[in-house]
Amino acid sequence: MGLELTDQRLINTILSQSVHAIVISDLEGNLEYVNPAFLSLWGYHHAEEIIGKNSLRFTDDIDKTKLILAEILTHSQWKGELRAKRKDGSTFDIAVTAYSFQDKQGNTTHLLASFSDLTKTKELEQYIKEREIYFSQILDSITDLVFCKDKNLKVTYVNKACADFYGVNKQELIGIQDVHYNEKEYTKAYHAEDQKVFETGNTSYVRREPNIGFNGETRILETVKNPIRDALGNIQEIVGVSRDITETLTLEDRLQLVIELTSDYIYTAKITNGEVIAEWSSKELTTTSGYSIEEIGKLGGWFNIILKEDLTNLAERMTKILKGETGVVEYRIRTKSGKIKWLRDYTRPILNEEGKITSIIGAAKDITIEKETELKYLSSSQRYQAAMKSALEAIYFLAASKNKDGDIIDFIISDLNEKATEQLGMKKEELIGKGICQLFPVNRENGFFVKYKKVAETKIPLEEEFQIPGNYVAPGYYYHQVIPTNDGIVIQNRDISDRKRMEELLLRTNRLAKVGSFDYDLTKKQITLSRVATEILVQQTNHLDGVDLSFFGTETFKTIINQKETHCIKTKDNFDLECIIRAGSGNEFWIRIIATPKFIENTCIGFYGAIQNIQDQKLIQESLFEKETLLLTKNKELESLVQITKKQNERLKEYTYITSHNLRAPIANLISLTSMLKESPSNTELLGLIESSSYQLDQIIRNLNELLNIEKDTRELPKSEILIKESIDTQLLLLKNGSNREIEFKSNLPEGMKLLGFHAYFDSIVNNILSNSIKYSNPNQVCKISISYEETKEMIKIAITDNGPGIDIHRHGHKLFNMNFRLRQDIEGKGMGLFLAKHQIEAMNGSIEVESELGNGCTFFLTFPKTLL
């Protein structure tokens, strides 16, 4: 069943029990009310420091706060996180749930917000601190109206709150029965209650008593009147205490919002014969436990969903409640879904007029996350202790010891691990509570105390390596890290004696190998060199400021190194480069640089790497390269001679074949015809045949001479300028005049296009191709010849196309350019034209190719290397 909130004190109690900070403001964010939890959380002591101030003053993100206020006015509510600012200027995270409040007419009149500190969730150490304030008064600024009346119902006393209510001073109310502007029916009702108290001697309680205030507004008061008796028991006066409860309904609505804003639920229970019986709970009970109050009743009560292990603690709490004590208890419940939750339960007994406990009111909060966090902290603490025990470093916790002026005079050992006791050779109990300068005065002599003091005062950590000589405790090399804490410092010492010995060995090795390391800080533009790297580069210091990796190259290499650096940042790869550097001495020499990028997440913060002096290796390489180059040149010359000899051998074979085969027939004919001529000297026909055979023999010899001259020309003939279009046009004109047939010619060759080569060969090549196109074309058709070209920076490719009968490339292509090969025996020829053309174009470092199909003509492609004049 619902709870009728009719007691203003009950409202105050409920709000004061809230663990959340609660504020009420006007529509512009000016604070009208804050609860004690808000004061505590923000670091204030009095509400007067806050009331009337704008909410923007209490946040660290003003823009976001403005957006939140606008969001509440637009959408009636807002939930999320915000960064708040305390009185002392420190900041912290809060969870915010805010609503707008509307009156009965639907008008938005106020803004209501609840805050919970997220610091405990986000910062583990905050969870080990107990809250200092659980309960406080919410409406501590409200003062009741107090008045006294005599038997004539005249006022004999009023307090300031009462006088302020009526808008007059206290003296103006003394002696009157009521203010003149009050409603008569209201005054009549007051007097009737007053008279009843005088007559019966009983307390009068009026829950809703209307009254006219000084501004003419009707206010609702809650009034209790009691008789004042003299020594004889006679009633002399009555005293009344009134409280303005006009805002009760509004407060009830606001209270409901408070309940909804928080993860808590509130409840009431009545006490009957020492037994606690649940009476009412907010709907958040179901959200938290999964049960309604009716379902819990059917289960036999709240105690039946509490884990048995926690019932003892709860029973002890209830015993204290029945004695009138307010307090808190934590326990676990099993929800309807079976999940285990931790609750923190705040309870307060409610007394009646006689001071007897009749009911209790409480508020419970789900603290499961807090408890889980505490368990995590406990686990972390255990891991910390284990780490302390197994740490390889000696760890010392030192608290600063100060004199009356606040100056640090020593550091007291508050804790240390086993490694530290081993390092000092003393037991832990001999060290705890002792000052380090007291135990080891050498700390003042060698300057360690001064360094520790500086760390504690400046809060700047210290890292260094140092050596303890053999005549002191724990001699050797140590890595020293000093970290500031709230009350002192923490020291970590690591024995690095073995590492130092290895470093010395590495240093000697690096000097022999001329290898040094470096570290490049990209943000500071600083390169730090190792000792050997400093020696290699002949630098005065190992810190180079205002430089990048291009420092390692002369002007010739700086751009390359910068490009490498940019590439490595993008790809996360390293680079390995040889370059020339100018040393501090001014000398230039070759180095090898290897650099690897360093990243934090996806941001490159710098590079680390190594450099090596490779000047000697470079000198050796250059000497070897020169010898290798000379050797390669000689090899190429030998290869060229071999190729030339090979070609000459092939040509000799061909010459031999021609001599043995081609000359045999005409010579035999001449011998035979000469014999026949002896028998018939006047036979003119025989003379004609002898003349023909002689001409044939002469042509063969000419072709042989031309073939022999190809090899000679390539070595002896000078190259000349060849005008391509003009030369082709000349050859075509000569062939046209001697052919006595119609020839159609097309060409896209531009005028003035040149080659540098052997002019006679070029004319011979073109003449052979064009003469074949004319000779083999169909005599009954127009002979069509077209010439096109392609040109690049390196070559010119000329295409000569005809409309002749074509060639079966699959059948004859492999022997088309052989000596004495003829496609048709019915057409006069020696089979030497294409053979000579191939050798001539190759002598000019060119090539000849053919494309053809039977019946579709031929295209010869002549490719020449281009040398423009």
Side-chain angles (χ1 to χ4, degrees):
M1 67 181 182
L3 172 65
E4 181 180 0
L5 300 177
T6 59
D7 187 346
Q8 183 65 40
R9 290 172 297 177
L10 181 59
I11 295 173
N12 297 344
T13 301
I14 292 172
L15 293 176
S16 67
Q17 301 299 320
S18 175
V19 296
H20 292 273
I22 300 170
V23 299
I24 300 171
S25 76
D26 61 16
L27 301 185
E28 295 180 353
N30 297 314
L31 303 185
E32 296 183 354
Y33 164 78
V34 297
N35 71 340
F38 183 92
L39 294 175
S40 175
L41 191 56
W42 264 259
Y44 291 88
H45 297 289
H46 305 288
E48 289 80 1
E49 298 179 82
I50 298 174
I51 299 302
K53 304 289 192 305
N54 193 277
S55 56
L56 297 178
R57 295 186 57 178
F58 305 98
T59 175
D60 194 45
D61 193 338
I62 294 177
D63 292 338
K64 185 174 182 181
T65 306
K66 289 180 179 178
L67 291 175
I68 294 172
L69 293 173
E71 183 73 12
I72 300 170
L73 293 173
T74 305
H75 299 97
S76 301
Q77 63 178 348
W78 187 88
K79 290 185 178 181
E81 294 185 7
L82 186 64
R83 191 74 178 170
K85 181 168 65 176
R86 292 190 177 93
K87 181 179 179 180
D88 61 5
S90 61
T91 59
F92 61 102
D93 294 314
I94 55 172
V96 183
T97 309
Y99 286 84
S100 61
F101 172 73
Q102 297 177 342
D103 59 18
K104 293 182 178 180
Q105 286 74 34
N107 299 318
T108 301
T109 61
H110 291 83
L111 304 180
L112 178 62
S114 172
F115 310 98
S116 60
D117 187 1
L118 293 179
T119 306
K120 291 185 178 181
T121 302
K122 295 185 175 182
E123 300 178 7
L124 188 60
E125 63 269 16
Q126 294 297 323
Y127 280 91
I128 63 173
K129 296 180 181 179
E130 296 184 358
R131 297 178 181 178
E132 297 179 356
I133 301 174
Y134 288 108
F135 306 99
S136 63
Q137 295 294 327
I138 295 178
L139 305 176
D140 56 0
S141 62
I142 296 177
T143 304
D144 294 338
L145 283 64
V146 180
F147 59 89
C148 294
K149 292 184 179 181
D150 60 15
K151 292 179 180 180
N152 295 321
L153 307 182
K154 291 183 179 181
V155 177
T156 60
Y157 168 79
V158 295
N159 67 348
K160 186 176 183 300
C162 185
D164 291 342
F165 179 83
Y166 288 107
V168 296
N169 58 50
K170 294 168 63 174
Q171 293 302 319
E172 290 181 75
L173 292 177
I174 301 301
I176 66 172
Q177 291 185 330
D178 202 357
V179 291
H180 64 87
Y181 52 76
N182 211 342
E183 295 286 344
K184 292 183 179 180
E185 58 182 294
Y186 295 167
T187 301
K188 185 178 180 180
Y190 308 154
H191 291 169
E193 286 297 319
D194 295 342
Q195 196 64 46
K196 187 190 297 184
V197 175
F198 276 111
E199 292 175 355
T200 63
N202 295 328
T203 299
S204 169
Y205 175 71
V206 181
R207 176 67 178 89
R208 296 174 181 269
E209 185 178 70
N211 210 313
I212 303 296
F214 74 93
N215 57 1
E217 180 183 353
T218 300
R219 308 292 296 176
I220 305 300
L221 301 181
E222 176 187 58
T223 304
V224 178
K225 298 177 181 178
N226 282 300
I228 299 176
R229 300 176 185 272
D230 60 16
L232 299 175
N234 298 318
I235 300 174
Q236 298 296 319
E237 289 182 322
I238 62 171
V239 60
V241 179
S242 296
R243 181 172 297 166
D244 187 346
I245 61 169
T246 307
E247 306 297 337
T248 298
L249 295 177
T250 301
L251 290 174
E252 289 175 358
D253 292 337
R254 290 179 180 177
L255 177 61
Q256 183 60 33
L257 284 176
V258 170
I259 295 168
E260 293 176 358
L261 288 172
T262 66
S263 60
D264 304 336
Y265 66 87
I266 62 173
Y267 63 89
T268 61
K270 58 185 178 180
I271 307 297
T272 304
N273 299 323
E275 183 180 356
V276 180
I277 301 173
E279 186 178 30
W280 172 87
S281 175
S282 65
K283 63 183 180 181
E284 282 72 24
L285 169 67
T286 304
T287 304
T288 303
S289 67
Y291 294 104
S292 66
I293 195 168
E294 291 78 15
E295 289 175 321
I296 292 175
K298 292 178 182 178
L299 292 174
W302 182 252
F303 287 88
N304 289 317
I305 69 170
I306 298 173
L307 266 62
K308 293 181 180 180
E309 296 91 331
D310 297 338
L311 284 174
T312 302
N313 294 337
L314 193 61
E316 293 177 358
R317 174 84 281 274
M318 293 307 299
T319 300
K320 293 181 180 180
I321 291 173
L322 294 176
K323 292 180 180 180
E325 297 181 14
T326 298
V328 61
V329 65
E330 294 178 357
Y331 55 85
R332 291 166 291 175
I333 64 168
R334 188 178 299 279
T335 65
K336 191 174 183 179
S337 64
K339 184 178 180 180
I340 303 298
K341 285 188 176 182
W342 275 93
L343 298 182
R344 181 177 290 127
D345 199 337
Y346 305 87
T347 50
R348 180 175 181 175
I350 304 299
L351 309 179
N352 60 12
E353 290 80 0
E354 299 174 358
K356 184 179 179 181
I357 300 174
T358 59
S359 61
I360 61 173
I361 184 169
K365 177 177 176 57
D366 184 350
I367 59 169
T368 305
I369 295 177
E370 291 183 23
K371 281 294 183 180
E372 290 175 351
T373 304
E374 288 179 6
L375 291 174
K376 290 179 181 178
Y377 170 77
L378 179 60
S379 176
S380 298
S381 178
Q382 291 172 344
R383 286 195 295 269
Y384 162 76
Q385 294 297 334
M388 282 280 287
K389 186 174 182 179
S390 59
L392 298 176
E393 299 91 352
I395 303 175
Y396 304 85
F397 289 83
L398 305 179
S401 175
K402 301 180 180 180
N403 59 19
K404 62 180 181 179
D405 296 325
D407 295 329
I408 299 176
I409 58 176
D410 203 346
F411 287 94
I412 307 301
I413 301 175
S414 58
D415 195 10
L416 69 168
N417 65 351
E418 293 181 5
K419 197 70 176 179
T421 60
E422 293 175 6
Q423 191 177 83
L424 298 179
M426 299 175 67
K427 296 181 180 179
K428 188 172 184 178
E429 52 269 23
E430 296 174 335
L431 298 167
I432 296 296
K434 303 293 178 57
I436 59 169
C437 294
Q438 172 191 352
L439 289 170
F440 309 107
V442 70
N443 280 298
R444 295 190 188 276
E445 299 172 11
N446 56 25
F448 280 130
F449 173 72
V450 174
K451 294 178 181 179
Y452 299 161
K453 183 177 178 181
K454 183 177 180 180
V455 171
E457 291 175 344
T458 63
K459 302 299 181 184
I460 299 175
L462 168 68
E463 290 186 53
E464 64 176 353
E465 294 179 0
F466 64 91
Q467 181 182 15
I468 296 179
N471 56 334
Y472 289 96
V473 176
Y477 282 96
Y478 292 90
Y479 167 75
H480 198 45
Q481 188 175 24
V482 186
I483 303 170
T485 62
N486 290 334
D487 61 348
I489 57 174
V490 175
I491 299 176
Q492 297 183 38
N493 278 345
R494 182 186 305 165
D495 189 340
I496 58 171
S497 300
D498 291 339
R499 194 198 79 192
K500 276 295 184 180
R501 285 190 288 271
M502 292 301 296
E503 285 180 354
E504 290 295 332
L505 178 60
L506 179 61
L507 179 62
R508 290 194 292 271
T509 304
N510 285 347
R511 279 178 173 155
L512 289 173
K514 297 183 180 180
V515 176
S517 62
F518 67 88
D519 193 299
Y520 170 43
D521 189 322
L522 186 61
T523 57
K524 296 180 180 178
K525 290 293 183 182
Q526 181 187 76
I527 294 177
T528 303
L529 303 173
S530 69
R531 190 186 306 178
V532 177
T534 306
E535 294 171 356
I536 291 174
L537 300 178
V538 197
Q539 293 294 319
Q540 298 297 320
T541 175
N542 66 329
H543 291 294
L544 307 173
D545 296 320
V547 295
D548 55 24
L549 291 182
S550 64
F551 162 80
F552 290 106
T554 57
E555 290 299 325
T556 306
F557 291 95
K558 285 184 182 296
T559 302
I560 299 173
I561 296 176
N562 283 333
Q563 290 173 350
K564 292 279 188 181
E565 178 181 339
T566 301
H567 175 76
C568 291
I569 292 173
K570 289 181 179 179
T571 63
K572 297 186 178 181
D573 293 334
N574 59 353
F575 73 81
D576 188 337
L577 179 69
E578 293 181 356
C579 62
I580 297 176
I581 190 171
R582 183 183 295 275
S585 60
N587 295 328
E588 292 185 356
F589 55 89
W590 280 91
I591 65 166
R592 179 186 181 190
I593 173 175
I594 302 174
T596 301
K598 299 185 293 184
F599 285 85
I600 295 180
E601 295 181 352
N602 290 323
T603 301
C604 182
I605 61 170
F607 288 76
Y608 63 89
I611 60 171
Q612 182 182 16
N613 185 331
I614 59 171
Q615 181 66 18
D616 294 340
Q617 293 94 313
K618 276 293 181 180
L619 292 176
I620 294 172
Q621 287 178 3
E622 289 176 2
S623 176
L624 292 175
F625 180 76
E626 290 175 358
K627 293 178 181 179
E628 182 180 6
T629 302
L630 181 61
L631 182 60
L632 289 173
T633 302
K634 294 295 183 182
N635 286 340
K636 286 182 179 179
E637 291 176 357
L638 289 173
E639 288 177 1
S640 177
L641 290 173
V642 169
Q643 292 297 325
I644 292 171
T645 303
K646 185 177 180 181
K647 283 185 178 181
Q648 290 177 343
N649 288 336
E650 291 175 354
R651 299 281 168 80
L652 286 173
K653 289 180 181 179
E654 292 172 351
Y655 302 156
T656 303
Y657 172 79
I658 293 171
T659 303
S660 62
H661 183 272
N662 290 23
L663 295 180
R664 185 181 305 165
I667 291 173
N669 288 339
L670 286 173
I671 295 171
S672 175
L673 288 171
T674 302
S675 299
M676 292 173 63
L677 184 61
K678 289 179 179 179
E679 295 176 359
S680 180
S682 60
N683 191 335
T684 57
E685 184 179 355
L686 289 176
L687 290 174
L689 291 173
I690 290 172
E691 183 181 10
S692 176
S693 295
S694 298
Y695 175 78
Q696 186 178 13
L697 180 60
D698 179 67
Q699 189 63 39
I700 291 172
I701 292 172
R702 287 176 181 272
N703 288 338
L704 283 174
N705 286 332
E706 188 171 356
L707 203 64
L708 289 170
N709 286 333
I710 290 176
E711 289 295 335
K712 179 181 179 182
D713 290 346
T714 57
R715 298 189 299 271
E716 297 180 2
L717 289 180
K719 294 180 180 179
S720 61
E721 177 183 320
I722 303 171
L723 295 173
I724 296 175
K725 181 178 184 307
E726 290 76 358
S727 295
I728 293 176
D729 288 346
T730 299
Q731 294 301 317
L732 184 65
L733 181 61
L734 292 173
L735 291 171
K736 269 186 176 183
N737 293 333
S739 64
N740 296 319
R741 62 175 300 173
E742 185 180 359
I743 299 174
E744 184 179 304
F745 179 69
K746 294 181 180 180
S747 172
N748 69 346
L749 293 172
E751 293 184 359
M753 188 167 64
K754 303 173 183 179
L755 282 176
L756 186 66
F758 305 134
H759 206 300
Y761 285 180
F762 184 82
D763 290 345
S764 175
I765 294 165
V766 172
N767 183 277
N768 275 311
I769 302 300
L770 292 176
S771 64
N772 282 344
S773 296
I774 296 170
K775 182 165 56 176
Y776 288 101
S777 65
N778 190 335
N780 299 321
Q781 294 180 348
V782 176
C783 176
K784 296 181 179 180
I785 298 175
S786 63
I787 298 181
S788 61
Y789 78 99
E790 296 178 13
E791 184 176 11
T792 68
K793 291 181 178 180
E794 292 79 20
M795 63 86 179
I796 295 176
K797 188 174 185 179
I798 300 171
I800 302 176
T801 304
D802 62 44
N803 64 338
I807 301 171
D808 187 348
I809 295 296
H810 295 290
R811 182 180 178 185
H812 301 298
H814 65 285
K815 54 186 177 180
L816 189 63
F817 295 99
N818 289 349
M819 182 184 295
N820 295 323
F821 174 73
R822 297 175 62 197
L823 282 171
R824 294 175 58 177
Q825 302 300 320
D826 60 330
I827 296 177
E828 183 180 355
K830 299 296 182 182
M832 291 292 290
L834 291 181
F835 174 74
L836 287 172
K838 181 175 184 297
H839 281 279
Q840 287 169 337
I841 200 169
E842 287 179 351
M844 295 173 68
N845 295 322
S847 64
I848 183 169
E849 297 172 306
V850 63
E851 289 182 1
S852 180
E853 292 181 4
L854 282 175
N856 291 322
C858 295
T859 299
F860 281 87
F861 297 97
L862 310 177
T863 302
F864 298 93
K866 183 174 66 175
T867 305
L868 295 179
L869 294 176

